[in-house]
Amino acid sequence: MGGENCRLEMRKRVAVITIDRPPMNTLSRDTLAEIGTILDKIEGDGEVRAVVLTGAGEKMFSAGADVTEFAGMADPESAEATLKRMHDLFNRIERFPKPIIACLNGHALGGGNELQMACHLAVAADTAELGLPEVRLGIMPGYGGTQRLARLVGRRRALAVMLSGERIPAQTALDWGLVNRVVPREKVLEEAIKWAEQLAGGPPLAMKGILDAVIRGTDADLEQGLAIERENMLSVIRTEDAIEGVTSFFQKKTPNFKGR
């Protein structure tokens, strides 16, 4: 399942989306549209509890935007419309109600790095490098990188990366909090799917509430964030899953969460 540029595979309750646009897995307009279509498909599918987003091959998660399409952005109105579409898609990934794990099978550069930063979690191959090299082309990150990188690693580290255009190795990305785990390249997809399967066994409504509270809350002040937390907690505390979780705790058994 999928399209010309992306594949969709189901691994039990985990949807694995693979960007398959050799050799660099660049993010053409069609590729990004396919990702959006796949998200449409799996968002309402109750059998899908978690998502892994990865790239085909061993060297590149994604090299970012397809520079051959830059000519179409010469007109200011077209350029603004394109950037708005990208922002909307990456915001949708960030706000997706099911956990999305970026599996960095290889380098994540430019828009590829911006894409993985929009995901909730990230596992990187030990051979992967991450960067926002747009400045070397005389431009700047335009798919959310100036905002998400600074929020994830801090302003000075983000500026050092973006102003120089230099890549950072996976271990540095781990130390900075840009990725969650670094594993040997040959095991990176296995690790990401295993983690996703663990998350898929959790309570979907509670996870949705956590994702929403963290994403919306960290962009608000503390009082607003706490209000979001209260709202989401009240929506999950009376669910069947909450009863199942508490009952199973006292009965010392594994809960069977059904998303109700």
Side-chain angles (χ1 to χ4, degrees), residues 19-48:
I19 302 167
D20 191 0
R21 196 165 186 262
M24 307 296 281
N25 294 330
T26 50
L27 301 175
S28 66
R29 285 189 292 268
D30 289 344
T31 302
L32 292 165
E34 286 181 24
I35 292 174
T37 299
I38 290 173
L39 294 179
D40 289 338
K41 178 181 179 62
I42 64 178
E43 182 170 357
D45 187 342
E47 294 301 309
V48 176

Side-chain angles (χ1 to χ4, degrees), residues 35-37 39-41 43 87-97 100 148:
I35 292 174
T37 299
L39 294 179
D40 289 338
K41 178 181 179 62
E43 182 170 357
H87 287 163
D88 289 345
L89 175 60
F90 285 28
N91 284 343
R92 183 183 181 191
I93 291 170
E94 187 173 59
R95 296 167 186 167
F96 202 66
I100 301 180
R148 289 193 174 92

Side-chain angles (χ1 to χ4, degrees), residues 9-168:
E9 303 170 70
M10 293 306 304
R11 306 282 188 96
K12 297 181 181 178
R13 292 180 290 186
V14 175
V16 180
I17 304 170
T18 303
I19 302 167
D20 191 0
R21 196 165 186 262
M24 307 296 281
N25 294 330
T26 50
L27 301 175
S28 66
R29 285 189 292 268
D30 289 344
T31 302
L32 292 165
E34 286 181 24
I35 292 174
T37 299
I38 290 173
L39 294 179
D40 289 338
K41 178 181 179 62
I42 64 178
E43 182 170 357
D45 187 342
E47 294 301 309
V48 176
R49 299 280 189 91
V51 182
V52 171
L53 176 61
T54 191
E58 300 178 353
K59 294 184 178 181
M60 192 67 66
F61 168 72
S62 174
D66 186 340
V67 295
T68 65
E69 295 181 346
F70 280 11
M73 296 178 65
D75 173 67
E77 291 185 2
S78 297
E80 183 174 2
T82 297
L83 292 172
K84 181 64 166 55
R85 283 197 301 274
M86 300 307 101
H87 287 163
D88 289 345
L89 175 60
F90 285 28
N91 284 343
R92 183 183 181 191
I93 291 170
E94 187 173 59
R95 296 167 186 167
F96 202 66
K98 305 174 184 185
I100 301 180
I101 301 175
C103 173
L104 306 187
N105 55 296
H107 305 327
L109 305 174
N113 193 9
E114 291 169 303
L115 176 60
Q116 76 85 16
M117 286 190 287
C119 297
H120 304 123
L121 303 164
V123 179
D126 55 1
T127 54
E129 296 178 344
L130 296 82
L132 293 173
E134 289 88 345
V135 72
R136 297 188 175 187
L137 299 178
I139 57 175
M140 60 178 282
Y143 293 178
T146 62
Q147 303 306 302
R148 289 193 174 92
L149 186 61
R151 284 167 166 77
L152 286 168
V153 306
R155 180 184 297 178
R156 289 191 172 179
R157 283 174 172 167
L159 285 172
V161 168
M162 288 184 281
L163 293 176
S164 69
E166 294 179 353
R167 303 180 184 187
I168 62 171

Side-chain angles (χ1 to χ4, degrees), residues 182-198:
V182 173
V183 299
R185 180 192 54 74
E186 63 273 14
K187 295 183 178 181
V188 67
L189 182 58
E190 174 188 342
E191 178 72 14
I193 292 175
K194 180 181 177 181
W195 194 6
E197 288 176 343
Q198 291 172 346

